[in-house]
Protein backbone atom coordinates (compact mmCIF):
# COMPACT_ATOMS: atom_id res chain seq x y z
CA UNK A 1 0.00 0.00 0.00
CA UNK A 2 1.24 3.49 -0.86
CA UNK A 3 0.78 6.08 1.90
CA UNK A 4 0.98 9.86 1.47
CA UNK A 5 1.41 12.05 4.57
CA UNK A 6 0.59 15.74 4.64
CA UNK A 7 0.78 18.38 7.36
CA UNK A 8 -0.19 21.93 8.13
CA UNK A 9 1.23 23.88 11.03
CA UNK A 10 4.08 23.43 13.45
CA UNK A 11 7.29 21.43 13.61
CA UNK A 12 5.61 19.14 16.12
CA UNK A 13 3.15 18.12 13.39
CA UNK A 14 6.10 17.33 11.12
CA UNK A 15 7.77 15.23 13.82
CA UNK A 16 4.55 13.26 14.24
CA UNK A 17 4.38 12.64 10.49
CA UNK A 18 7.89 11.22 10.59
CA UNK A 19 6.90 8.84 13.40
CA UNK A 20 3.85 7.68 11.43
CA UNK A 21 5.93 7.24 8.29
CA UNK A 22 8.32 4.89 10.04
CA UNK A 23 5.43 2.96 11.63
CA UNK A 24 3.73 2.49 8.25
CA UNK A 25 7.03 1.32 6.79
CA UNK A 26 7.56 -1.16 9.61
CA UNK A 27 4.13 -2.54 8.74
CA UNK A 28 5.42 -3.09 5.22
CA UNK A 29 3.83 -0.14 3.46
CA UNK A 30 5.47 2.43 1.21
CA UNK A 31 5.62 6.21 1.72
CA UNK A 32 5.03 8.25 -1.42
CA UNK A 33 5.48 11.98 -2.03
CA UNK A 34 2.76 11.88 -4.71
CA UNK A 35 -0.73 12.19 -3.27
CA UNK A 36 -2.32 11.12 -6.55
CA UNK A 37 -0.48 7.77 -6.38
CA UNK A 38 -1.51 6.95 -2.81
CA UNK A 39 -3.99 4.36 -1.59
CA UNK A 40 -4.08 6.06 1.82
CA UNK A 41 -3.62 9.73 2.69
CA UNK A 42 -3.10 11.00 6.24
CA UNK A 43 -3.48 14.71 7.02
CA UNK A 44 -2.14 16.24 10.24
CA UNK A 45 -4.28 19.36 10.56
CA UNK A 46 -3.78 22.69 12.34
CA UNK A 47 -6.10 25.07 14.21
CA UNK A 48 -3.74 27.61 15.77
CA UNK A 49 -5.81 30.35 14.09
CA UNK A 50 -9.19 30.51 12.36
CA UNK A 51 -7.26 30.83 9.10
CA UNK A 52 -5.31 27.64 9.87
CA UNK A 53 -8.58 25.79 10.50
CA UNK A 54 -9.94 27.10 7.18
CA UNK A 55 -6.79 25.97 5.37
CA UNK A 56 -7.13 22.54 6.98
CA UNK A 57 -10.67 22.20 5.60
CA UNK A 58 -9.50 23.37 2.17
CA UNK A 59 -6.62 20.89 2.17
CA UNK A 60 -8.91 17.99 3.08
CA UNK A 61 -11.32 18.88 0.27
CA UNK A 62 -8.52 19.36 -2.29
CA UNK A 63 -6.79 16.10 -1.39
CA UNK A 64 -10.06 14.17 -1.78
CA UNK A 65 -10.86 15.95 -5.05
CA UNK A 66 -7.44 15.12 -6.51
CA UNK A 67 -7.52 11.46 -5.42
CA UNK A 68 -11.09 10.39 -4.56
CA UNK A 69 -10.16 6.68 -4.54
CA UNK A 70 -7.72 7.00 -1.64
CA UNK A 71 -8.77 6.38 1.94
CA UNK A 72 -8.47 9.63 3.89
CA UNK A 73 -7.50 9.90 7.58
CA UNK A 74 -7.49 13.26 9.38
CA UNK A 75 -5.78 14.01 12.69
CA UNK A 76 -4.28 17.06 14.39
CA UNK A 77 -5.67 20.09 16.21
CA UNK A 78 -8.43 21.01 13.74
CA UNK A 79 -9.72 17.43 13.71
CA UNK A 80 -9.59 17.30 17.52
CA UNK A 81 -11.42 20.58 18.14
CA UNK A 82 -13.95 20.02 15.34
CA UNK A 83 -14.27 16.22 15.25
CA UNK A 84 -17.84 16.05 13.94
CA UNK A 85 -17.20 18.71 11.30
CA UNK A 86 -14.02 16.97 10.12
CA UNK A 87 -15.76 13.59 9.97
CA UNK A 88 -18.56 15.06 7.85
CA UNK A 89 -16.23 16.46 5.17
CA UNK A 90 -16.52 14.65 1.86
CA UNK A 91 -14.02 11.81 1.55
CA UNK A 92 -12.94 11.59 5.21
CA UNK A 93 -12.90 7.93 6.29
CA UNK A 94 -11.43 8.26 9.78
CA UNK A 95 -10.76 11.02 12.32
CA UNK A 96 -8.05 10.37 14.92
CA UNK A 97 -7.89 12.89 17.77
CA UNK A 98 -4.64 14.13 19.30
CA UNK A 99 -5.36 11.93 22.30
CA UNK A 100 -5.09 8.83 20.07
CA UNK A 101 -2.25 9.98 17.82
CA UNK A 102 0.15 7.38 19.15
CA UNK A 103 -2.21 4.68 17.86
CA UNK A 104 -2.95 6.37 14.51
CA UNK A 105 -1.18 3.81 12.33
CA UNK A 106 -2.68 0.84 14.18
CA UNK A 107 -6.19 2.37 14.20
CA UNK A 108 -5.95 3.23 10.51
CA UNK A 109 -4.86 -0.24 9.42
CA UNK A 110 -7.43 -1.95 11.66
CA UNK A 111 -10.50 0.25 11.29
CA UNK A 112 -10.09 0.76 7.55
CA UNK A 113 -9.34 -2.95 6.99
CA UNK A 114 -5.90 -2.22 5.59
CA UNK A 115 -3.98 -4.44 7.99
CA UNK A 116 -3.05 -6.97 5.32
CA UNK A 117 0.31 -8.52 4.46
CA UNK A 118 1.87 -6.42 1.70
CA UNK A 119 3.58 -7.92 -1.32
CA UNK A 120 7.00 -6.64 -0.21
CA UNK A 121 8.09 -5.46 3.21
CA UNK A 122 10.30 -2.43 3.73
CA UNK A 123 13.79 -3.08 4.97
CA UNK A 124 14.00 -2.73 8.76
CA UNK A 125 15.41 0.62 9.76
CA UNK A 126 14.58 2.39 6.51
CA UNK A 127 13.53 5.93 7.23
CA UNK A 128 11.17 8.24 5.43
CA UNK A 129 12.32 11.78 6.15
CA UNK A 130 9.89 12.84 3.48
CA UNK A 131 9.63 16.46 4.60
CA UNK A 132 13.17 17.66 5.16
CA UNK A 133 15.60 15.60 3.12
CA UNK A 134 18.12 13.28 4.69
CA UNK A 135 20.15 15.72 6.75
CA UNK A 136 17.65 16.89 9.36
CA UNK A 137 14.93 15.29 11.48
CA UNK A 138 12.37 16.52 14.00
CA UNK A 139 12.07 14.53 17.21
CA UNK A 140 8.96 14.97 19.33
CA UNK A 141 9.89 14.87 23.02
CA UNK A 142 6.79 16.34 24.65
CA UNK A 143 3.10 17.09 24.06
CA UNK A 144 0.50 19.26 25.76
CA UNK A 145 0.78 22.46 27.82
CA UNK A 146 -0.18 23.32 31.40
CA UNK A 147 -0.53 27.03 30.62
CA UNK A 148 -3.50 28.88 29.17
CA UNK A 149 -2.38 31.90 27.20
CA UNK A 150 -5.62 33.72 26.39
CA UNK A 151 -5.09 33.68 22.61
CA UNK A 152 -4.12 30.01 22.32
CA UNK A 153 -6.44 27.17 21.28
CA UNK A 154 -3.62 24.63 20.93
CA UNK A 155 -3.49 23.89 24.65
CA UNK A 156 -7.16 22.89 24.46
CA UNK A 157 -6.50 20.69 21.43
CA UNK A 158 -3.33 19.07 22.78
CA UNK A 159 -4.37 18.46 26.39
CA UNK A 160 -2.19 17.96 29.45
CA UNK A 161 1.60 17.73 29.37
CA UNK A 162 3.12 14.34 28.60
CA UNK A 163 6.89 13.87 28.20
CA UNK A 164 8.58 11.01 26.37
CA UNK A 165 10.94 8.93 28.49
CA UNK A 166 14.51 10.14 28.08
CA UNK A 167 15.79 6.76 26.93
CA UNK A 168 13.20 6.62 24.12
CA UNK A 169 14.44 10.00 22.85
CA UNK A 170 18.09 8.87 23.06
CA UNK A 171 17.33 5.64 21.20
CA UNK A 172 15.49 7.50 18.43
CA UNK A 173 18.31 10.01 17.96
CA UNK A 174 20.93 7.25 17.83
CA UNK A 175 18.85 5.40 15.24
CA UNK A 176 18.47 8.55 13.14
CA UNK A 177 22.21 9.22 13.32
CA UNK A 178 23.00 5.68 12.13
CA UNK A 179 20.71 6.34 9.18
CA UNK A 180 22.73 9.39 8.14
CA UNK A 181 20.94 12.21 9.93
CA UNK A 182 23.28 15.08 10.83
CA UNK A 183 20.93 17.42 12.70
CA UNK A 184 18.07 16.76 15.11
CA UNK A 185 15.50 19.36 16.22
CA UNK A 186 13.70 18.73 19.52
CA UNK A 187 10.03 19.73 19.39
CA UNK A 188 7.06 19.92 21.74
CA UNK A 189 3.97 22.01 22.44
CA UNK A 190 5.64 23.32 25.61
CA UNK A 191 9.23 22.22 25.08
CA UNK A 192 10.45 24.05 28.18
CA UNK A 193 8.06 21.95 30.26
CA UNK A 194 9.79 18.71 29.28
CA UNK A 195 10.10 16.37 32.25
CA UNK A 196 7.51 18.09 34.47
CA UNK A 197 5.75 14.72 34.68
CA UNK A 198 8.97 12.67 34.90
CA UNK A 199 10.91 14.43 37.63
CA UNK A 200 13.55 15.97 35.36
CA UNK A 201 13.76 18.92 32.93
CA UNK A 202 14.83 20.06 29.49
CA UNK A 203 18.41 20.75 30.60
CA UNK A 204 18.68 17.16 31.83
CA UNK A 205 17.43 15.89 28.47
CA UNK A 206 19.86 18.04 26.46
CA UNK A 207 22.82 17.05 28.67
CA UNK A 208 21.96 13.38 28.27
CA UNK A 209 21.59 13.67 24.50
CA UNK A 210 24.98 15.37 24.23
CA UNK A 211 26.54 12.68 26.43
CA UNK A 212 24.87 9.56 25.03
CA UNK A 213 24.61 10.33 21.32
CA UNK A 214 27.10 11.48 18.71
CA UNK A 215 24.59 13.51 16.68
CA UNK A 216 26.71 16.38 15.27
CA UNK A 217 24.05 19.09 15.56
CA UNK A 218 21.27 19.43 18.12
CA UNK A 219 18.75 22.23 17.69
CA UNK A 220 15.79 23.27 19.82
CA UNK A 221 12.33 24.08 18.49
CA UNK A 222 10.17 26.93 19.76
CA UNK A 223 10.81 27.47 23.47
CA UNK A 224 8.77 29.62 25.84
CA UNK A 225 11.05 32.21 27.52
CA UNK A 226 10.37 31.11 31.08
CA UNK A 227 11.32 28.13 33.22
CA UNK A 228 14.88 28.16 31.85
CA UNK A 229 17.18 27.02 34.65
CA UNK A 230 20.63 28.56 35.14
CA UNK A 231 22.37 25.45 33.85
CA UNK A 232 20.40 25.72 30.59
CA UNK A 233 22.56 28.62 29.43
CA UNK A 234 25.83 26.81 30.08
CA UNK A 235 24.75 23.98 27.77
CA UNK A 236 25.60 26.16 24.77
CA UNK A 237 29.29 25.85 25.66
CA UNK A 238 29.00 22.54 23.79
CA UNK A 239 29.26 23.52 20.12
CA UNK A 240 26.98 20.63 19.11
CA UNK A 241 24.05 22.57 20.61
CA UNK A 242 23.18 25.12 17.94
CA UNK A 243 23.32 28.81 18.98
CA UNK A 244 19.79 29.67 17.89
CA UNK A 245 16.58 29.90 19.92
CA UNK A 246 13.07 30.74 18.82
CA UNK A 247 11.62 32.51 21.88
CA UNK A 248 8.02 33.68 21.34
CA UNK A 249 7.67 37.17 22.81
CA UNK A 250 4.15 37.87 21.39
CA UNK A 251 4.22 41.53 22.51
CA UNK A 252 6.77 44.08 23.71
CA UNK A 253 4.24 45.71 26.05
CA UNK A 254 3.90 44.37 29.60
CA UNK A 255 0.26 45.40 29.87
CA UNK A 256 -0.58 43.48 26.68
CA UNK A 257 1.43 40.51 27.94
CA UNK A 258 -0.71 40.49 31.10
CA UNK A 259 -3.90 40.36 29.00
CA UNK A 260 -2.35 37.49 27.06
CA UNK A 261 -1.56 35.69 30.37
CA UNK A 262 2.07 35.41 29.32
CA UNK A 263 4.54 34.57 32.10
CA UNK A 264 7.56 36.55 30.94
CA UNK A 265 7.84 40.31 31.31
CA UNK A 266 9.87 42.34 28.81
CA UNK A 267 12.61 42.98 31.39
CA UNK A 268 13.02 39.23 31.96
CA UNK A 269 12.99 38.55 28.22
CA UNK A 270 15.72 41.15 27.61
CA UNK A 271 17.85 39.58 30.36
CA UNK A 272 17.58 36.13 28.74
CA UNK A 273 18.62 37.48 25.34
CA UNK A 274 21.54 39.44 26.85
CA UNK A 275 22.78 36.36 28.69
CA UNK A 276 22.75 34.31 25.49
CA UNK A 277 24.49 36.95 23.37
CA UNK A 278 27.19 37.66 25.96
CA UNK A 279 28.00 33.97 26.16
CA UNK A 280 27.87 33.10 22.45
CA UNK A 281 28.86 35.64 19.75
CA UNK A 282 26.32 35.86 16.90
CA UNK A 283 23.66 33.96 18.89
CA UNK A 284 20.46 34.17 16.83
CA UNK A 285 17.21 34.89 18.68
CA UNK A 286 14.02 34.72 16.60
CA UNK A 287 10.47 35.27 17.82
CA UNK A 288 6.70 35.42 17.30
CA UNK A 289 4.72 38.66 17.59
CA UNK A 290 0.93 39.06 17.63
CA UNK A 291 -0.16 42.40 16.19
CA UNK A 292 -3.47 43.98 17.17
CA UNK A 293 -4.30 41.98 20.28
CA UNK A 294 -7.65 43.07 21.84
CA UNK A 295 -7.33 46.41 23.59
CA UNK A 296 -3.86 47.18 22.18
CA UNK A 297 -3.73 50.97 22.39
CA UNK A 298 -1.50 53.16 20.24
CA UNK A 299 0.69 53.77 23.29
CA UNK A 300 1.01 50.01 23.92
CA UNK A 301 1.81 49.41 20.26
CA UNK A 302 4.57 52.04 20.27
CA UNK A 303 5.94 50.56 23.49
CA UNK A 304 5.92 47.10 21.91
CA UNK A 305 7.49 48.33 18.67
CA UNK A 306 10.25 50.11 20.57
CA UNK A 307 11.08 47.04 22.67
CA UNK A 308 11.21 44.78 19.59
CA UNK A 309 13.57 47.26 17.91
CA UNK A 310 15.72 47.41 21.05
CA UNK A 311 16.14 43.61 21.20
CA UNK A 312 16.96 43.18 17.49
CA UNK A 313 15.68 39.79 16.29
CA UNK A 314 17.17 37.67 13.52
CA UNK A 315 13.68 36.85 12.26
CA UNK A 316 10.08 37.51 13.34
CA UNK A 317 6.99 35.45 12.60
CA UNK A 318 4.27 38.12 12.52
CA UNK A 319 0.68 37.12 13.27
CA UNK A 320 -2.20 39.56 12.86
CA UNK A 321 -4.59 38.78 15.71
CA UNK A 322 -7.81 37.05 14.69
CA UNK A 323 -10.50 36.03 17.13
CA UNK A 324 -10.45 32.30 17.89
CA UNK A 325 -13.62 30.75 19.26
CA UNK A 326 -12.95 28.86 22.48
CA UNK A 327 -10.20 31.21 23.72
CA UNK A 328 -10.52 33.82 26.46
CA UNK A 329 -9.15 36.54 24.17
CA UNK A 330 -12.15 36.17 21.87
CA UNK A 331 -14.37 37.63 24.62
CA UNK A 332 -12.06 40.48 25.61
CA UNK A 333 -13.38 44.03 25.02
CA UNK A 334 -12.00 46.57 22.55
CA UNK A 335 -11.33 44.28 19.59
CA UNK A 336 -9.32 46.26 17.02
CA UNK A 337 -10.51 46.92 13.48
CA UNK A 338 -8.71 45.36 10.54
CA UNK A 339 -7.31 48.65 9.20
CA UNK A 340 -5.39 49.31 12.43
CA UNK A 341 -4.11 45.73 12.58
CA UNK A 342 -3.02 45.85 8.93
CA UNK A 343 -1.15 49.13 9.38
CA UNK A 344 0.72 47.85 12.46
CA UNK A 345 1.54 44.59 10.73
CA UNK A 346 3.02 46.42 7.75
CA UNK A 347 5.07 48.64 10.07
CA UNK A 348 6.44 45.60 11.90
CA UNK A 349 7.25 43.76 8.66
CA UNK A 350 9.47 46.67 7.58
CA UNK A 351 11.28 46.63 10.93
CA UNK A 352 11.61 42.83 10.90
CA UNK A 353 13.23 42.88 7.44
CA UNK A 354 15.61 45.65 8.51
CA UNK A 355 16.67 43.70 11.61
CA UNK A 356 17.11 40.47 9.64
CA UNK A 357 19.27 42.30 7.11
CA UNK A 358 21.37 43.81 9.90
CA UNK A 359 21.88 40.41 11.53
CA UNK A 360 23.03 38.99 8.20
CA UNK A 361 25.51 41.87 7.81
CA UNK A 362 26.79 41.37 11.36
CA UNK A 363 27.81 37.83 10.41
CA UNK A 364 29.69 38.75 7.21
CA UNK A 365 33.41 37.97 7.19
CA UNK A 366 33.02 35.13 9.68
CA UNK A 367 33.49 31.44 9.03
CA UNK A 368 30.90 28.86 10.05
CA UNK A 369 30.39 25.11 9.51
CA UNK A 370 27.45 25.05 7.10
CA UNK A 371 25.23 21.97 6.79
CA UNK A 372 24.34 21.84 3.11
CA UNK A 373 20.83 20.85 2.05
CA UNK A 374 19.79 18.34 -0.58
CA UNK A 375 18.16 20.81 -2.95
CA UNK A 376 19.73 23.15 -5.47
CA UNK A 377 19.03 25.72 -8.15
CA UNK A 378 20.48 24.93 -11.61
CA UNK A 379 22.35 27.77 -13.31
CA UNK A 380 23.96 28.32 -16.69
CA UNK A 381 27.60 27.52 -17.34
CA UNK A 382 27.69 24.12 -15.68
CA UNK A 383 27.07 25.55 -12.20
CA UNK A 384 24.42 25.06 -9.52
CA UNK A 385 23.48 27.12 -6.50
CA UNK A 386 23.21 25.08 -3.29
CA UNK A 387 21.74 26.03 0.08
CA UNK A 388 22.51 25.27 3.69
CA UNK A 389 22.37 26.60 7.24
CA UNK A 390 24.93 27.91 9.69
CA UNK A 391 24.76 26.78 13.33
CA UNK A 392 22.95 30.05 14.17
CA UNK A 393 20.36 29.30 11.47
CA UNK A 394 21.36 31.71 8.73
CA UNK A 395 20.46 30.49 5.26
CA UNK A 396 23.56 30.42 3.06
CA UNK A 397 23.95 29.87 -0.67
CA UNK A 398 27.06 28.98 -2.65
CA UNK A 399 28.07 27.85 -6.14
CA UNK A 400 29.43 24.42 -7.08
CA UNK A 401 29.84 22.55 -10.37
CA UNK A 402 27.01 20.38 -11.69
CA UNK A 403 29.16 17.27 -11.26
CA UNK A 404 29.68 17.95 -7.53
CA UNK A 405 27.52 17.34 -4.48
CA UNK A 406 27.51 18.75 -0.95
CA UNK A 407 24.24 17.21 0.23
CA UNK A 408 24.30 16.41 3.96
CA UNK A 409 27.91 17.59 4.20
CA UNK A 410 29.14 20.12 6.74
CA UNK A 411 31.76 22.39 5.17
CA UNK A 412 33.40 25.45 6.72
CA UNK A 413 32.20 28.46 4.76
CA UNK A 414 33.13 32.13 4.83
CA UNK A 415 30.13 34.46 4.62
CA UNK A 416 30.99 37.14 2.07
CA UNK A 417 27.84 38.91 0.81
CA UNK A 418 24.17 39.50 1.58
CA UNK A 419 21.71 38.51 -1.15
CA UNK A 420 18.27 39.93 -0.31
CA UNK A 421 17.62 38.34 3.11
CA UNK A 422 20.07 35.44 2.83
CA UNK A 423 23.85 35.20 2.59
CA UNK A 424 26.28 34.10 -0.10
CA UNK A 425 29.26 32.14 1.15
CA UNK A 426 32.53 30.73 -0.14
CA UNK A 427 33.23 27.12 0.83
CA UNK A 428 36.69 26.63 2.32
CA UNK A 429 36.46 22.87 1.84
CA UNK A 430 36.01 20.96 -1.41
CA UNK A 431 32.65 19.61 -2.63
CA UNK A 432 32.57 15.89 -3.45
CA UNK A 433 32.30 14.45 -6.96
CA UNK A 434 28.78 13.06 -7.55
CA UNK A 435 30.09 9.48 -7.73
CA UNK A 436 31.92 9.76 -4.38
CA UNK A 437 30.63 7.75 -1.44
CA UNK A 438 32.39 9.98 1.11
Amino acid sequence: MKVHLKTLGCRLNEAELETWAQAFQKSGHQITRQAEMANLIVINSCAVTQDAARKSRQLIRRIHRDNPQAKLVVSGCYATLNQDEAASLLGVDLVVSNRDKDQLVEKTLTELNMNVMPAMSTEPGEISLFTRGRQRAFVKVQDGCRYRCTFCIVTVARGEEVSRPMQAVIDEINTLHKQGITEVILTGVHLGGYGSDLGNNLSDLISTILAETDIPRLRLGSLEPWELSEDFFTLFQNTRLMPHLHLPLQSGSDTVLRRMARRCKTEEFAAIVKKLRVQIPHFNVTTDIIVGFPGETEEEWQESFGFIKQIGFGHIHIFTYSSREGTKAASLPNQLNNDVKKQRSQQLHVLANDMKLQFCRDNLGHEFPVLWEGYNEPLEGGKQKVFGYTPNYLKVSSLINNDESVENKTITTRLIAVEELSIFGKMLGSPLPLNSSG
Side-chain angles (χ1 to χ4, degrees), residues 368-387:
F368 294 99
V370 174
L371 174 58
W372 294 97
E373 303 273 348
Y375 69 98
N376 56 41
E377 183 181 304
L379 302 173
E380 295 180 359
K383 296 283 187 180
Q384 57 179 322
K385 181 181 280 190
V386 291
F387 301 89

Side-chain angles (χ1 to χ4, degrees), residues 195-394:
S196 62
D197 53 333
L198 299 178
N200 49 36
N201 59 34
L202 181 62
S203 294
D204 297 332
L205 175 64
I206 294 169
S207 297
T208 306
I209 291 171
L210 293 172
E212 298 184 15
T213 79
D214 293 321
I215 195 76
R217 291 165 67 128
L218 179 65
R219 199 179 291 280
L220 303 180
S222 183
L223 186 64
E224 295 294 358
W226 59 78
E227 300 182 331
L228 299 181
S229 57
E230 277 302 313
D231 60 350
F232 173 81
F233 298 93
T234 63
L235 293 170
F236 288 94
Q237 293 171 4
N238 189 318
T239 56
R240 290 163 58 209
L241 182 60
M242 299 294 97
H244 163 239
L245 285 179
H246 188 79
L247 303 174
L249 173 63
Q250 307 302 3
S251 173
S253 165
D254 284 330
T255 49
V256 174
L257 289 173
R258 280 201 296 273
R259 293 201 296 277
M260 291 178 168
R262 300 288 287 168
R263 285 157 182 79
C264 186
K265 296 178 181 177
T266 53
E267 183 180 359
E268 296 163 340
F269 190 96
I272 291 170
V273 173
K274 182 179 180 180
K275 190 176 291 190
L276 292 167
R277 288 176 174 165
V278 166
Q279 184 172 313
I280 307 290
H282 308 295
F283 199 104
N284 188 7
V285 178
T286 57
T287 198
D288 296 338
I289 299 292
I290 297 173
V291 173
F293 191 75
E296 184 182 66
T297 65
E298 181 63 26
E299 182 181 357
E300 287 173 329
W301 167 243
Q302 292 302 331
E303 181 184 9
S304 182
F305 189 86
F307 180 77
I308 294 165
K309 188 174 183 179
Q310 170 197 326
I311 294 294
F313 294 100
H315 181 74
I316 302 178
H317 292 148
I318 300 169
F319 300 90
T320 300
Y321 176 79
S322 62
S323 180
R324 189 70 177 86
E325 185 181 348
T327 63
K328 184 177 179 180
S331 62
L332 289 176
N334 302 316
Q335 302 278 331
L336 274 65
N337 67 56
N338 288 334
D339 288 342
V340 171
K341 290 190 283 190
K342 182 178 180 181
Q343 181 230 339
R344 292 178 183 176
S345 176
Q346 290 172 340
Q347 187 181 357
L348 187 55
H349 272 95
V350 172
L351 176 62
N353 285 341
D354 288 346
M355 290 191 298
K356 188 169 187 174
L357 189 61
Q358 185 58 51
F359 187 68
C360 288
R361 288 171 176 159
D362 290 344
N363 282 265
L364 290 182
H366 295 276
E367 297 174 4
F368 294 99
V370 174
L371 174 58
W372 294 97
E373 303 273 348
Y375 69 98
N376 56 41
E377 183 181 304
L379 302 173
E380 295 180 359
K383 296 283 187 180
Q384 57 179 322
K385 181 181 280 190
V386 291
F387 301 89
Y389 284 88
T390 61
N392 62 349
Y393 209 59
L394 285 173

Side-chain angles (χ1 to χ4, degrees), residues 44-303:
N44 206 7
S45 63
C46 181
V48 66
T49 62
Q50 294 281 26
D51 190 51
R54 178 183 60 80
K55 288 180 178 178
S56 292
R57 289 191 295 272
Q58 288 178 337
L59 177 63
I60 292 166
R61 293 187 180 109
R62 177 170 59 79
I63 288 286
H64 174 65
R65 184 175 66 247
D66 292 347
N67 186 351
Q69 282 75 41
K71 295 285 187 180
L72 184 55
V73 176
V74 181
S75 190
C77 291
Y78 163 72
T80 300
L81 293 168
N82 307 276
Q83 196 152 352
D84 292 341
E85 179 181 288
S88 69
L89 292 175
L90 192 63
V92 174
D93 295 286
L94 179 66
V95 174
V96 180
S97 72
N98 284 339
R99 185 182 63 255
D100 298 324
K101 270 187 168 181
D102 290 347
Q103 289 85 44
L104 181 137
V105 173
E106 181 182 347
K107 287 173 73 72
T108 297
L109 297 177
T110 302
E111 296 188 26
L112 299 185
N113 296 317
M114 292 182 158
N115 212 351
V116 295
M117 184 63 69
M120 183 182 296
S121 291
T122 307
E123 284 297 313
E126 182 181 333
I127 188 165
S128 164
L129 290 172
F130 52 91
T131 54
R132 290 280 169 176
R134 288 205 58 86
Q135 70 283 338
R136 182 177 293 115
F138 296 103
V139 173
K140 176 181 174 180
V141 303
Q142 182 273 347
D143 205 343
C145 182
R146 80 189 81 145
Y147 297 111
R148 295 292 181 267
C149 297
T150 58
F151 55 82
C152 185
I153 196 70
V154 174
T155 52
V156 179
R158 288 277 180 174
E160 296 302 313
E161 291 187 13
V162 180
S163 305
R164 285 182 69 193
M166 202 176 290
Q167 192 58 51
V169 176
I170 297 298
D171 291 345
E172 180 176 353
I173 292 174
N174 280 326
T175 299
L176 289 166
H177 189 208
K178 288 176 185 174
Q179 294 166 347
I181 301 306
T182 306
E183 179 176 296
V184 156
I185 303 105
L186 304 184
T187 67
V189 173
H190 176 212
L191 184 59
Y194 175 85
S196 62
D197 53 333
L198 299 178
N200 49 36
N201 59 34
L202 181 62
S203 294
D204 297 332
L205 175 64
I206 294 169
S207 297
T208 306
I209 291 171
L210 293 172
E212 298 184 15
T213 79
D214 293 321
I215 195 76
R217 291 165 67 128
L218 179 65
R219 199 179 291 280
L220 303 180
S222 183
L223 186 64
E224 295 294 358
W226 59 78
E227 300 182 331
L228 299 181
S229 57
E230 277 302 313
D231 60 350
F232 173 81
F233 298 93
T234 63
L235 293 170
F236 288 94
Q237 293 171 4
N238 189 318
T239 56
R240 290 163 58 209
L241 182 60
M242 299 294 97
H244 163 239
L245 285 179
H246 188 79
L247 303 174
L249 173 63
Q250 307 302 3
S251 173
S253 165
D254 284 330
T255 49
V256 174
L257 289 173
R258 280 201 296 273
R259 293 201 296 277
M260 291 178 168
R262 300 288 287 168
R263 285 157 182 79
C264 186
K265 296 178 181 177
T266 53
E267 183 180 359
E268 296 163 340
F269 190 96
I272 291 170
V273 173
K274 182 179 180 180
K275 190 176 291 190
L276 292 167
R277 288 176 174 165
V278 166
Q279 184 172 313
I280 307 290
H282 308 295
F283 199 104
N284 188 7
V285 178
T286 57
T287 198
D288 296 338
I289 299 292
I290 297 173
V291 173
F293 191 75
E296 184 182 66
T297 65
E298 181 63 26
E299 182 181 357
E300 287 173 329
W301 167 243
Q302 292 302 331
E303 181 184 9

Side-chain angles (χ1 to χ4, degrees), residues 397-416:
S397 65
S398 192
L399 298 181
I400 62 173
N401 296 322
N402 281 338
D403 60 353
E404 296 174 326
S405 173
V406 291
E407 180 178 355
N408 206 20
K409 303 301 175 190
T410 301
I411 300 174
T412 300
T413 303
R414 181 179 294 120
L415 309 187
I416 58 176

